[in-house]
Amino acid sequence: MCCFSWDSDIDNVAEKKCGFCGFFEFCTFVYGLIVYFLPFTIVSLLLWVLLRPDHLRPRVDAAVVISFSLDNTTSSLDYDIAMDLSFLNQHRYLDVRYLDLIAVASYGGTRLGPSVDVLPIFIQRPRASNVVHAIFQGRATPLAPAAAELFTREATNGSFNVLVTVASTFMYKFPFHKTVYYFDHECYIRFPVPNSGVTPPTTVLTPGTLCSATTR
């Protein structure tokens, strides 16, 4: 009876010891993850504070609207829009390498295409400004009922609003480190109703606005 009790005590001690070992291994694993990832987190946070990539927002310098009209018979929207987007690198010492630039225009949730979706890429020097030209020309047919109602309402008010979304991928390159950021920029251009009855059509210039930025 005494031996059985002694064996039970050994088993209990072994079980407790095994449980402690498992908990210790788990803590070691968690600590290893923290030690491994914490430097990257700190570096990423410091680079974000230093570089402020969300400040690299394009600005619509000018937009030329040659035509923007709705055919009620076919419910098709004819459009011809060109715009200049300027990119400013406010950093004093670092270059910005734009790896990918895509511009997409939409009206009332309807995409306006075909267009020059893929824009030229470039390397931007410190304190430099680069201008990119985008063209949106074609016919959207049939236009969604909600977009057609929006067109009628805005035509009555005398001005239209078109959303241009610029998806950008850019990189800061350090001697031993590369940092890549992905942003979507929403640029709203507002222009009065073009005078389509004039030949040639009257071009309308609209002043630019700073685009808003969201990470992808």
Side-chain angles (χ1 to χ4, degrees):
M1 189 70 180
C2 182
C3 292
F4 177 79
S5 176
W6 181 76
D7 291 341
S8 299
D9 292 340
I10 293 178
D11 292 340
N12 292 334
V13 172
E15 290 178 359
K16 292 180 180 179
K17 187 175 182 180
C18 181
F20 176 78
C21 292
F23 178 75
F24 178 77
E25 291 177 355
F26 174 76
C27 293
T28 303
F29 174 74
V30 173
Y31 176 77
L33 290 178
I34 294 175
V35 171
Y36 180 79
F37 286 106
L38 185 59
F40 293 97
T41 304
I42 294 177
V43 170
S44 300
L45 180 61
L46 290 177
L47 288 177
W48 182 277
V49 174
L50 174 65
L51 301 176
R52 293 311 305 264
D54 55 326
H55 286 182
L56 285 177
R57 295 183 290 172
R59 182 184 298 273
V60 182
D61 286 340
V64 181
V65 183
I66 299 176
S67 64
F68 197 79
S69 60
L70 178 65
D71 188 339
N72 293 321
T73 303
T74 60
S75 188
S76 60
L77 177 66
D78 294 314
Y79 55 90
D80 189 352
I81 303 173
M83 58 188 299
D84 288 332
L85 291 165
S86 64
F87 295 80
L88 174 62
N89 179 15
Q90 299 181 0
H91 204 279
R92 295 177 179 272
Y93 309 105
L94 297 177
D95 294 343
V96 180
R97 298 170 182 260
Y98 284 89
L99 308 177
D100 189 32
L101 280 176
I102 299 176
V104 177
S106 60
Y107 179 74
T110 300
R111 176 170 175 170
L112 305 182
S115 63
V116 183
D117 288 343
V118 181
L119 303 177
I121 57 177
F122 51 90
I123 299 177
Q124 192 171 46
R125 302 306 178 188
R127 292 291 185 177
S129 179
N130 294 73
V131 178
V132 176
H133 191 64
I135 300 175
F136 306 97
Q137 185 180 49
R139 170 178 292 184
T141 181
L143 195 63
E149 293 178 4
L150 176 63
F151 182 94
T152 302
R153 184 167 61 252
E154 291 193 330
T156 304
N157 295 332
S159 62
F160 296 102
N161 291 276
V162 172
L163 171 64
V164 177
T165 303
V166 181
S168 62
T169 303
F170 53 89
M171 177 182 70
Y172 290 97
K173 186 177 181 181
F174 298 90
F176 304 101
H177 185 74
K178 296 179 181 179
T179 304
V180 180
Y181 296 97
Y182 306 88
F183 276 87
D184 285 335
H185 305 88
E186 293 186 343
C187 315
Y188 287 91
I189 58 174
R190 183 182 180 88
F191 54 92
V193 177
N195 188 1
S196 58
V198 178
T199 305
T202 302
T203 59
V204 179
L205 296 177
T206 178
T209 56
L210 188 63
C211 305
S212 60
T214 57
T215 55
R216 277 187 284 137

